[in-house]
Amino acid sequence: MSDLVPADTTEDVRTRGAGVSRQVAVLPVGSFEQHGAFLPLATDTLVACAVAREIAGAYPVHLLPPVTISCSHEHAAWPGTVSISSVTLHAVVRDIAASLRRSGVDALVVVNGHGGNYVLGNVVQESSARGERMALFPAPEDWEEARERAGVVTSLLTDMHAGEIETSILLHAHPEMLRPGYETSDFVADDRRHLLTLGMSGYTDSGVIGRPSLGSAEKGKELLASLADSFGAYFSTLTSADEGADG
């Protein structure tokens, strides 16, 4: 359970906070949506938690439990998918950030595991404009660096859903969660210009867009290591004395 839910006690948090000049919390945001026949509905949550856990192993951050249901409306055609509105997700993240600030943690990094959570960018933009310390991680550039370092063959455009990256991370972090079939489920649909109108079902019957057959545990390990390295710039920005306001 510590892979998904932090095992910290209140004293652990107190001790960590006493050793840093500015506290930074990390909030994984996943989803509960179809990922083909071989990856679990909770894949995005597992990925976000794996990234956040890697960060927490390298930096003195306050690791939070994940938000497990988010904006998965484009996957509604498949059984098991559950969504909340963008307004609700916006409010949840803002409320969490406000609660953290009241307890002395004035910087929040949202680790997003689901590409459809477009509203998280708005949350961070609006919070930053108010002088609050918030960041969204990973950026596309961080994923691209991780992809190259890990030897992921599929481009970020092609590796859209349940593909090489997600399969690799789960093969490394949660191999017990994969079902048979990822080796033969590759499907490419690079032109998805009507995705917001048609949803995923307009482009794939299986729910997969990408090449999961190329996934490996070794690639998953390197992807996470690269993202942890990339996080250093975010940590420095959020903890610098002149970034934003003091909450």
Side-chain angles (χ1 to χ4, degrees):
M1 286 298 291
S2 61
D3 284 349
L4 298 177
V5 181
D8 282 349
T9 67
T10 188
E11 290 305 315
D12 293 330
V13 177
R14 189 194 311 275
T15 300
R16 187 185 305 114
V20 296
S21 59
R22 187 180 301 279
Q23 295 188 67
V24 177
V26 173
L27 174 66
V29 178
S31 72
F32 200 70
E33 65 187 37
Q34 72 83 19
H35 276 77
F38 54 90
L39 291 178
L41 294 163
T43 291
D44 289 341
T45 299
L46 294 170
V47 169
C49 286
V51 173
R53 191 169 63 251
E54 196 83 6
I55 290 169
Y59 304 88
V61 297
H62 179 29
L63 183 59
L64 301 173
V67 175
T68 58
I69 297 176
S70 59
C71 303
S72 301
H73 311 284
E74 70 273 28
H75 299 276
W78 282 270
T81 298
V82 182
S83 291
I84 58 177
S85 72
S86 61
V87 174
T88 299
L89 183 57
H90 191 295
V92 166
V93 175
R94 279 197 63 183
D95 283 357
I96 290 171
S99 177
L100 287 165
R101 288 194 299 274
R102 288 192 294 271
S103 66
V105 182
D106 66 349
L108 175 64
V109 178
V110 180
V111 174
N112 182 31
H114 171 48
N117 289 334
Y118 311 112
V119 71
L120 294 177
N122 299 116
V123 177
V124 172
Q125 283 183 321
E126 294 166 15
S127 298
S128 298
R130 290 191 297 269
E132 299 162 7
R133 295 175 182 255
M134 191 180 294
L136 182 61
F137 183 81
E141 294 85 354
D142 300 313
W143 278 118
E144 183 60 26
E145 289 178 5
R147 185 187 74 82
E148 293 178 0
R149 172 168 159 180
V152 170
V153 176
T154 317
S155 70
L156 293 182
L157 172 65
T158 299
D159 196 59
M160 188 262 187
H161 191 70
E164 186 177 359
I165 287 177
E166 290 184 320
T167 299
S168 293
I169 290 176
L170 261 70
L171 281 170
H172 168 65
H174 292 282
E176 74 283 359
M177 301 292 279
L178 273 79
R179 306 286 180 90
Y182 71 90
E183 306 91 342
T184 57
S185 294
D186 292 4
F187 183 78
V188 175
D190 284 351
D191 186 344
R192 303 184 295 270
R193 68 188 73 190
H194 303 297
L195 178 66
L196 296 180
T197 301
L198 300 176
M200 286 284 289
S201 61
Y203 294 93
T204 172
D205 293 330
S206 68
V208 176
I209 297 180
R211 296 191 178 98
S213 69
L214 300 177
S216 72
E218 292 76 15
K219 291 177 182 177
K221 181 179 180 180
E222 283 302 310
L223 284 163
L224 294 177
S226 178
L227 292 175
D229 288 345
S230 294
F231 183 78
Y234 294 76
F235 187 79
S236 296
T237 298
L238 290 172
T239 56
S240 65
D242 59 350
E243 196 281 331
D246 289 333

